[in-house]
Amino acid sequence: MEAKTHIALVSVPVYSHQRSILEFSKQLVHLHKGIHVTCINPTFSSPCCNTLALFHSLPPTIDYMFLPPINLEDLPHDTHPAVHVQFTISQSLPLIHDALKTLHSTSNLVAIISDGLITQVLPFGKELNVLSYTYFPSTAMLLSLCLYSSMLDKKISCEYKDLLDPIEIPGCIPIPGTDLPDPLHYDRSGEVYKQFLEANERFYLADGILVNTFYEMEANTIRALQQQEGRGIPSVFAIGPFVQKGSCTEGSTNEAEYLRWLDKQEQNSVLYVSFGSGGTIFQDQLNEIACGLELSGQKFLWVLRPPNKFGIIVDIGAETENPLKFLPNGFLHRTKGHGMVVPYWASQVQILGHGAIGGFLCHCGWNSTLEGVVHGIPLIAWPLFAEQKMNAVLLTNGLKVALRPKVNEKGIVEREEIAKVIKNLMVGEEGKGIRQGMENLKVAADNALKEDGSSTRTLTQLALKWTSLGVA
């Protein structure tokens, strides 16, 4: 029997965003059996094995389609991955529009939910006379910045990085100018900054914004946003945390090895080091991290990728060269038995759920951050790009569940600083407070997703609204 209520999701060609919106969709159809979901995915190349594994793991009530790849040959060879994504989004809009029209004509489509990076889809809902939402896979704090960005643009005259005082947004902790998201570090007269403002203005077209956070984690920010509903700001729904529940990798050959190694370690004794699904670092910083890990004397499990000037790898499934060759001479020999380096990829969910893990050196991507939270693992905040510095501010200054190493005048965290922060987190007094704070946050995250929890109640109210439209 065909489901009465059909929801269309529109994702973007970014693995971390796809993971997040698919976990949301799985929770939605799990809680509400009458809802059927179709996920539309723009592409600029054939999906890699990790991406395919995500989609192959979906239940039968979630369909998906990959749109024809966009030709990137007209872009310069050495183009930043973010440009690939934005170009793919803009070129895919006619294909997305056609796919949505087809779904609308062949099913009882009641709502379109598009990723926060593709706000261009929001007007399509109005055209098809269905509800149109944004799925926002980051913090309510970042959403607030986006919604208030035009106001800040009028209020602030200098470049954001030159601000002497932190930016204050209703309900949020103060944000230093240097910790604002990447688009605000560009020349304010340039195209990147202009596109950022235009995308944020389109949020106001949404019937609502679904945020992958939970009320207890960002209560002041969510409350401040909700108090502005009816005064121009769309309805905001905190419905998370949505994190991957199990490994979606296909046949990782080294998985058993690192899990066996963890089995031999003492409880809470290992620092896990990873920069997310695609993050990486430059060579000088890689050297300092290696030396800092060695100097700290703490056990570690490090997922390592080759250095990259962009700080991100486009194709997370590509393994073009051995990353171990970039380590300092003798590092693997000197740390043998004390640490382990895993090339390219590891099952983060399994690692964070292992009792031996006592800390997480994290790039502050929101998926990784939430995975740390739901497993109660205290963090070392090491932001790389996008909104990650802003997330680090929330984790350290706001929630106080992370330590953040100091960067020198050359933009490098030195080995002595790394060793000091690692020891502080793993065996120091300050680390005990961080650990307790994270444990409290873990309990709150668990409670939010219970049957009567804040996030489940919110998502249920939305689903009931959608299913009532499906019956009508």
Side-chain angles (χ1 to χ4, degrees):
M1 181 183 295
E2 184 179 351
K4 293 181 178 178
T5 303
H6 204 121
I7 307 290
L9 301 184
V10 182
S11 187
V12 293
V14 179
Y15 179 79
S16 58
H17 284 242
Q18 291 169 334
R19 269 182 55 193
S20 186
I21 203 167
L22 290 180
E23 290 300 332
F24 151 70
S25 66
K26 287 194 284 187
Q27 179 72 349
L28 176 63
V29 299
H30 171 72
L31 290 173
H32 306 282
K33 309 300 183 187
I35 291 179
H36 193 93
V37 171
T38 298
C39 186
I40 302 167
N41 301 278
T43 64
F44 55 78
S45 62
S46 298
C48 71
C49 61
N50 301 87
T51 299
L52 289 174
L54 280 182
F55 286 90
H56 291 166
S57 68
L58 294 174
T61 45
I62 303 176
D63 292 326
Y64 60 90
M65 64 178 78
F66 292 108
L67 299 177
I70 297 302
N71 187 352
L72 301 179
E73 289 181 3
D74 291 338
L75 294 177
H77 174 69
D78 204 18
T79 301
H80 194 286
V83 177
H84 288 180
V85 172
Q86 288 301 327
F87 184 77
T88 300
I89 287 171
S90 65
Q91 296 299 303
S92 297
L93 289 174
L95 300 171
I96 294 168
H97 184 264
D98 289 346
L100 289 171
K101 282 181 67 177
T102 300
L103 283 178
H104 187 252
S105 64
T106 58
S107 71
N108 195 2
L109 185 68
V110 301
I112 301 167
I113 305 173
S114 52
D115 185 276
L117 286 181
I118 193 166
T119 54
Q120 298 96 320
V121 170
L122 287 168
F124 297 165
K126 310 301 178 191
E127 178 188 330
L128 296 172
N129 197 29
V130 299
L131 295 171
S132 196
Y133 294 84
T134 290
Y135 177 78
F136 200 79
S138 189
T139 63
M141 183 170 160
L142 176 62
L143 175 61
S144 295
L145 174 71
C146 292
L147 292 172
Y148 283 101
S149 59
S150 291
M151 181 196 74
L152 293 172
D153 181 61
K154 297 179 179 68
K155 180 180 175 182
I156 295 169
S157 57
C158 67
E159 296 293 336
Y160 287 95
K161 61 181 173 53
D162 297 328
L163 285 169
L164 298 178
D165 297 317
I167 285 178
E168 299 201 14
I169 300 169
C172 300
I173 58 173
I175 313 161
T178 52
D179 285 328
L180 290 167
D182 287 352
L184 297 181
H185 293 165
Y186 283 86
D187 180 356
R188 291 178 63 181
S189 63
E191 193 63 26
V192 172
Y193 179 73
K194 178 185 174 185
Q195 289 174 355
F196 177 73
L197 292 181
E198 289 174 350
N200 293 339
E201 281 300 299
R202 287 192 290 267
F203 282 125
Y204 287 89
L205 301 174
D207 290 298
I209 302 177
L210 320 179
V211 191
N212 188 18
T213 189
F214 54 102
Y215 184 83
E216 295 78 4
M217 189 173 192
E218 296 189 85
N220 291 338
T221 306
I222 294 165
R223 195 181 304 118
L225 286 169
Q226 291 176 341
Q227 286 171 352
Q228 293 300 313
E229 290 177 17
R231 304 178 193 176
I233 285 182
S235 299
V236 174
F237 305 94
I239 55 172
F242 298 120
V243 300
Q244 193 171 308
K245 303 262 189 325
S247 175
C248 280
T249 57
E250 292 186 339
S252 176
T253 56
N254 57 8
E255 186 172 296
E257 185 180 355
Y258 63 72
L259 291 176
R260 278 199 303 268
W261 184 81
L262 284 175
D263 288 341
K264 299 174 185 176
Q265 311 309 317
E266 294 181 7
Q267 196 84 353
N268 300 326
S269 66
V270 177
L271 177 73
Y272 173 53
V273 182
S274 176
F275 296 103
S277 55
T280 186
I281 49 179
F282 53 94
Q283 182 66 63
D284 288 348
Q285 188 61 83
L286 190 156
N287 293 340
E288 293 302 309
I289 288 178
C291 294
L293 287 167
E294 187 176 351
L295 194 60
S296 75
Q298 302 301 303
K299 293 189 174 182
F300 64 88
L301 176 63
W302 185 4
V303 178
L304 182 67
R305 299 185 185 92
N308 181 299
K309 70 175 183 179
F310 293 131
I312 187 169
I313 295 173
V314 182
D315 184 356
I316 61 168
E319 298 186 8
T320 55
E321 53 187 336
N322 181 10
L324 302 183
K325 72 179 185 181
F326 296 98
L327 291 166
N329 288 336
F331 173 78
L332 291 175
H333 175 73
R334 293 191 301 273
T335 58
K336 188 175 182 180
H338 203 72
M340 187 172 187
V341 182
V342 180
Y344 282 103
W345 187 269
S347 175
Q348 182 158 291
V349 175
Q350 285 185 289
I351 290 170
L352 290 174
H354 197 287
I357 299 297
F360 181 12
L361 193 156
C362 171
H363 72 311
C364 300
W366 198 236
N367 282 348
S368 289
T369 297
L370 289 179
E371 286 167 3
V373 168
V374 300
H375 289 98
I377 309 297
L379 305 174
I380 294 174
W382 195 297
L384 297 178
F385 51 80
E387 88 289 10
Q388 293 164 11
K389 289 182 181 179
M390 198 165 151
N391 294 347
V393 173
L394 172 64
L395 294 166
T396 53
N397 299 357
L399 297 167
K400 302 189 187 307
V401 293
L403 300 176
R404 187 175 179 182
K406 294 183 177 66
V407 180
N408 70 14
E409 64 281 355
K410 296 180 180 178
I412 291 178
V413 184
E414 297 174 348
R415 62 192 67 183
E416 293 82 8
E417 173 71 6
I418 295 168
K420 182 180 78 172
V421 171
I422 290 172
K423 286 192 285 189
N424 199 355
L425 184 79
M426 299 297 290
V427 294
E429 286 302 313
E430 191 174 8
K432 292 179 182 177
I434 298 288
R435 189 174 304 279
Q436 184 57 57
M438 186 59 95
E439 183 58 35
N440 294 340
L441 199 56
K442 174 186 184 298
V443 172
D446 290 342
N447 289 338
L449 293 177
K450 288 181 178 177
E451 187 175 347
D452 60 344
S454 59
S455 292
T456 301
R457 289 198 310 270
T458 300
L459 185 55
T460 297
Q461 289 166 5
L462 277 166
L464 290 174
K465 177 178 181 177
W466 297 333
T467 50
S468 69
L469 293 172
V471 172

